[in-house]
Amino acid sequence: MEQFVITATTRKESGKKAAAKIREAGKIPAVAYNEKGESIMLEVNAQEFSKAWRSITKTTLVNLKIDGKDNQAFIKDTEYDIKTDKNLHADFHLVSGTKPVTRVMKIHYVGTSAGVLKGGFMVKHVPDVKIKALPQDLPEYVNADVSKLEIGGKFTIADLNLGDKVTILSKPTALVVSIAPPKK
């Protein structure tokens, strides 16, 4: 996947008037938090941020270039105005790449179950999974391939294949999907 670069500069002023000035200049007021919880007030390029924000997942690392220095970061949150179709504020989480992070990720279902093709019903149980990994090892998506499930078949958290660099923290026996028999 493309590595997005977002240009940022540190700022001293805060408040509504300062934020309005930043937005008039084509930038967005932002805050970056490091792994210790310390914050840095920033202003980021609005176009670069918008392009990245619309194209990434919550586990995608971006290159946040603060005053010319490269930093790996996640876009943690953004305030978005639906009327003007503009981002008003952004929060970043700076990471070193050496400390694991924990994320709760939605499970995406891949394929059509063989049991569903025979008239069964797919019953979804657990919608997400809690995982832990180094920032650069986080998967973009968590996919559950249900295509081989027959009627009566079950797919559990333990059946997810996320590789050896990702630790699954959710209960391994928790059901993700089961295929119920057709109703008579």
Side-chain angles (χ1 to χ4, degrees):
M1 176 170 222
E2 178 183 353
Q3 169 79 45
F4 289 97
V5 178
I6 300 172
T7 308
T9 54
T10 52
R11 64 182 167 105
K12 302 268 187 262
E13 295 179 12
S14 62
K16 289 182 181 180
K17 286 183 182 179
K21 257 192 222 179
I22 291 168
R23 290 185 194 107
E24 284 174 21
K27 297 183 178 186
I28 302 170
V31 178
Y33 299 91
N34 65 17
E35 291 171 332
K36 297 175 190 170
E38 301 164 338
S39 63
I40 306 165
M41 291 195 319
L42 304 170
E43 52 186 67
V44 298
N45 181 297
Q47 283 185 312
E48 292 172 355
F49 179 82
S50 184
K51 181 182 177 191
W53 178 69
R54 293 177 191 278
S55 304
I56 65 173
T57 68
K58 63 182 183 178
T59 59
T60 306
L61 284 171
V62 296
N63 180 1
L64 185 61
K65 202 173 202 98
I66 302 173
D67 296 329
K69 185 179 177 222
D70 292 336
N71 295 277
Q72 293 297 306
F74 293 111
I75 297 176
K76 187 175 175 182
D77 196 16
T78 186
E79 185 181 337
Y80 176 74
D81 185 349
I82 195 165
K83 290 179 185 174
T84 61
D85 190 33
K86 291 185 180 176
N87 296 89
L88 303 176
H89 187 273
D91 287 343
F92 293 92
H93 179 105
L94 299 172
V95 293
S96 63
T98 59
K99 184 177 174 188
V101 293
T102 302
R103 292 283 186 270
V104 175
M105 296 187 64
K106 187 175 181 344
I107 298 171
H108 297 268
Y109 307 101
V110 178
T112 302
S113 162
V116 169
L117 293 174
K118 294 175 184 172
F121 295 94
M122 185 163 83
V123 181
K124 298 174 184 174
H125 299 277
V126 177
D128 47 39
V129 62
K130 189 174 188 179
I131 60 173
K132 183 178 183 179
L134 290 174
Q136 61 273 19
D137 295 333
L138 285 170
E140 194 172 340
Y141 299 100
V142 173
N143 293 323
D145 184 0
V146 297
S147 58
K148 293 183 176 131
L149 288 179
E150 295 288 343
I151 293 174
K154 296 177 172 138
F155 191 101
T156 65
I157 293 287
D159 295 325
L160 291 170
N161 183 9
L162 301 179
D164 57 350
K165 294 181 178 182
V166 178
T167 305
I168 297 175
L169 302 176
S170 296
K171 186 177 176 185
T173 56
L175 269 181
V176 174
V177 168
S178 62
I179 306 300
K183 295 181 181 176
K184 295 183 180 182

